[in-house]
Amino acid sequence: MKSFLNVQDLGDLKVALAEAQEIKNDRYKYAELGKNKTALLVFFNNSLRTRLSTQKAAQNLGMNVIVLDVNAGAWKLETERGVVMDGDKSEHLLEAIPVMASYCDVIGIRSFAGLKDRDYDYAETVYNQFVKYSGKPVFAMETATVHPLQAFADLITIDEATRSMQEAKKKIKVVMTWAPHPRCLPQAVPNSFAEWMVEASRTPLLQNAGKDVEIEFVVTHPRGYELDPKFVGDARVEYDQMKAFEGADFIYAKNWSCPGVTEADKYGTILEDYHTMLDWTVGERQMAVTDNGKFMHCLPVRRNMIVTDDVIEAPTSLVIPEAANREISATVVLKRILESIK
Ligand code: CP
């Protein structure tokens, strides 16, 4: 695997989930695979979970790890070609990339959307420059439009929770809901979650009581927040949040700014003052109509904006196992990359 950006890069999800469980049973099983190999993790944006879990994953595989915080000690990087560099950016990404690549075997990139230019963000310009100019395998640690390590960890978490359900089910309902936030956030997490759930719902992937379980995936958000069809596919969109939550087994909450699909000139903005949208905050009122629904969020989360204290602290909240599974998803992805460059 030379690039990890979309769900197709991982191939058969059933195989990937089995591999995740193999790693979970013995996370050091492949500790020799990364010997004398170096992972460079490049952060253009802040991180807690991705930084720690990816570093731990690389160490599980015996790799050396270098972490670069571009905005804390490195030269400020220009990413656009043709710019007269007379400002505060001292180095161009087109020199910096091959230099960074000369010190490592694998590169992870965190580079969020600027939310100013939809075409630039959705072309994955920064990530693709690393792919083109590094000559090394590159994987996304949340880019402008996707966060596949998170989506894979989310799928692992849903797989585990489904297998441990008491009641035998043939189908589980997974609902992704928009929730309010005071700042403009990218669409990377909801794009990837939708992309992975749509793929996971194509064939029975999960198991409960030794039987196949299908996924029914529903997205709910206020009008104007429609996600890019490239990710959301033909998933059902339900604008009435309470209706969407009815009978749900999993509630995946996330805020995102306007994706610019139906409101092209409003890309990256908040459409309504969040004070007027607080009825979308996931609380006991909504969870009451689910089927003992489990609450999920990628973290970090703003309490009592996205979700109430009571819901996130309830025994049905999966936010901590979800974060812990980031180590597992990253270990599987790095293992696949190492196997491809042996
Ligand atoms: N969920 C996630 O990616 O967390 P961080 O931003 O802290 O890495």
Side-chain angles (χ1 to χ4, degrees), residues 24-44:
K24 203 147 184 182
N25 291 338
D26 178 4
R27 57 198 74 199
Y28 304 108
K29 185 169 178 183
Y30 298 96
E32 290 298 309
L33 193 61
K35 194 171 175 223
N36 296 331
K37 293 278 191 286
T38 299
L40 171 62
L41 311 182
V42 182
F43 287 89
F44 289 86

Side-chain angles (χ1 to χ4, degrees), residues 59-73:
Q59 288 164 348
N60 291 349
L61 296 163
M63 301 183 82
N64 304 312
V65 187
I66 306 171
V67 178
L68 177 67
D69 285 299
V70 173
N71 298 318

Side-chain angles (χ1 to χ4, degrees), residues 46-51 110 142 147 150 298-300 326:
N46 295 342
S47 167
L48 187 153
R49 278 144 291 273
T50 306
R51 174 189 304 267
R110 167 159 286 204
E142 187 171 342
H147 196 358
Q150 180 65 54
C298 62
L299 303 181
R326 291 292 307 276

Side-chain angles (χ1 to χ4, degrees), residues 195-217:
E195 180 189 35
W196 285 63
M197 281 302 115
V198 167
E199 183 63 26
S201 54
R202 288 193 207 286
T203 51
L205 193 67
L206 310 178
Q207 290 247 309
N208 172 250
K211 296 224 167 75
D212 285 342
V213 179
E214 287 178 43
I215 294 176
E216 176 193 357
F217 179 54

Side-chain angles (χ1 to χ4, degrees), residues 84-142:
V84 177
M85 289 173 58
D86 58 357
D88 63 343
K89 293 176 177 166
S90 308
E91 180 153 23
H92 203 288
L93 203 59
L94 295 183
E95 283 79 56
I97 290 172
V99 170
M100 289 189 250
S102 71
Y103 307 135
C104 67
D105 302 282
V106 180
I107 305 178
I109 305 296
R110 167 159 286 204
S111 175
F112 291 171
L115 298 179
K116 299 277 179 252
D117 179 342
R118 187 179 200 279
D119 291 342
Y120 181 88
D121 290 343
Y122 272 71
E124 286 291 1
T125 310
V126 173
Y127 181 86
N128 283 324
Q129 283 182 329
F130 273 90
V131 171
K132 188 169 176 187
Y133 297 111
S134 72
K136 298 285 162 70
V138 178
F139 65 98
M141 300 194 298
E142 187 171 342

Side-chain angles (χ1 to χ4, degrees), residues 279-308:
D279 55 340
W280 280 80
T281 301
V282 178
E284 290 189 335
R285 176 176 62 90
Q286 292 96 327
M287 295 307 283
V289 302
T290 68
D291 188 3
N292 195 31
K294 310 276 188 292
F295 177 80
M296 299 179 72
H297 188 280
C298 62
L299 303 181
V301 71
R302 290 188 185 230
R303 283 177 175 224
N304 305 306
M305 288 288 312
I306 300 283
V307 58
T308 63

